Amino acid sequence: AQKVTQAQTEISVVEKEDVTLDCVYETRDTTYYLFWYKQPPSGELVFLIRRNSFDEQNEISGRYSWNFQKSTSSFNFTITASQVVDSAVYFCALSDMEYGNKLVFGAGTILRVKS
Amino acid sequence: NAGVTQTPKFQVLKTGQSMTLQCAQDMNHNSMYWYRQDPGMGLRLIYYSASEGTTDKGEVPNGYNVSRLNKREFSLRLESAAPSQTSVYFCASNLRTQGAPGANVLTFGAGSRLTVL
């Protein structure tokens, strides 16, 4: 069975601090996808990134970066120089690569960025 | 582009009442999903439909039924609502084709907040 653990329930930082959101996953599949979604206070779910299990290269997009390590089954998300607009719930998710597959989500991490 | 449209956005029910949440997508996606979101539990899959004409149970299907009416529409029905079904419900869809750009990335609707008294 697949499982995603986001051990940090809530994190509070002051604007401009860097923050890392942890994600640990479990799967028996040898090929899979990992995702991060953002849910701002307005409630919609916004896709941030998809990473496949073949590619362990870290990815950077502006202030966001992702560290994928298969050896530790982790897919951590770092926000550099956080801003108030980053305040949201962040979900890590896992799926296999089969057709019409299902995403399994972690419980989410609430990030509060204070000015 | 509308993406995934859910109705209603809000609903209050009494215990034992029935209702149907509607979902439609205009992206020609093959797969559609219903998730529920509860505090501290993330999103849990209720039912999904890998393609038109098929539906399968997810992690928490009890108390729900679904219908994949056509490729665009996937409805979720509560036959006899219970307070434990108070939640925010999200419909989502994605491409089925393996290897296609963006495959497996879920596009979500705006959510439906349901309260059962």
Side-chain angles (χ1 to χ4, degrees):
Chain A
Q2 298 178 324
K3 183 178 178 182
V4 176
T5 301
Q6 296 180 254
Q8 303 152 308
T9 305
E10 186 169 337
I11 302 174
S12 288
V13 298
V14 177
E15 212 170 13
K16 298 184 183 176
E17 285 186 15
D18 299 346
V19 58
T20 296
L21 309 181
D22 297 332
C23 173
V24 174
Y25 63 92
E26 296 174 29
T27 180
R28 294 179 182 174
D29 296 320
T30 54
T31 58
Y32 49 89
Y33 287 118
L34 293 161
F35 303 80
W36 277 93
Y37 279 83
K38 174 182 180 179
Q39 187 177 42
S42 53
E44 76 273 22
L45 285 146
V46 178
F47 165 73
L48 294 178
I49 189 172
R50 181 192 72 174
R51 170 66 73 202
N52 71 51
S53 53
F54 308 142
D55 184 2
E56 287 193 68
Q57 281 191 347
N58 291 337
E59 180 152 344
I60 298 174
S61 176
R63 296 184 297 106
Y64 294 172
S65 62
W66 290 269
N67 184 332
F68 174 32
Q69 292 194 344
K70 280 180 94 167
S71 61
T72 56
S73 297
S74 64
F75 186 43
N76 297 338
F77 173 30
T78 297
I79 301 174
T80 302
S82 59
Q83 299 176 1
V84 172
V85 293
D86 295 326
S87 297
V89 184
Y90 291 87
F91 292 99
C92 181
L94 166 70
S95 77
D96 60 33
M97 289 187 175
E98 295 297 318
Y99 295 139
N101 66 306
K102 312 174 292 290
L103 268 69
V104 174
F105 285 81
T109 297
I110 301 170
L111 175 63
R112 302 190 197 280
V113 182
K114 302 174 185 176
S115 59
Chain B
N1 291 334
V4 179
T5 303
Q6 289 180 234
T7 56
K9 286 188 171 15
F10 300 95
Q11 184 73 49
V12 178
L13 292 176
K14 294 181 180 178
T15 297
Q17 287 185 320
S18 62
M19 77 157 297
T20 299
L21 297 175
Q22 307 286 355
C23 176
Q25 52 91 9
D26 62 1
M27 297 171 288
N28 202 35
H29 284 171
N30 291 299
S31 301
M32 298 185 73
Y33 308 80
W34 278 105
Y35 284 88
R36 60 178 287 174
Q37 181 181 11
D38 303 291
M41 303 190 76
L43 285 89
R44 293 181 293 166
L45 183 65
I46 304 171
Y47 271 94
Y48 68 104
S49 171
S51 62
E52 185 179 355
T54 69
T55 60
D56 285 286
K57 295 178 180 179
E59 181 184 354
V60 289
N62 291 345
Y64 305 94
N65 286 301
V66 290
S67 295
R68 183 75 183 267
L69 305 169
N70 47 56
K71 190 170 185 179
R72 291 186 62 247
E73 298 172 288
F74 187 39
S75 63
L76 178 71
R77 182 161 178 83
L78 287 69
E79 291 290 353
S80 179
S84 61
Q85 294 178 304
T86 294
S87 187
V88 180
Y89 292 85
F90 286 95
C91 178
S93 68
N94 66 0
L95 285 170
R96 183 188 183 198
T97 306
Q98 190 176 35
N104 299 354
V105 174
L106 286 176
T107 299
F108 284 88
S112 299
R113 184 174 294 275
L114 175 65
T115 301
V116 183
L117 303 176

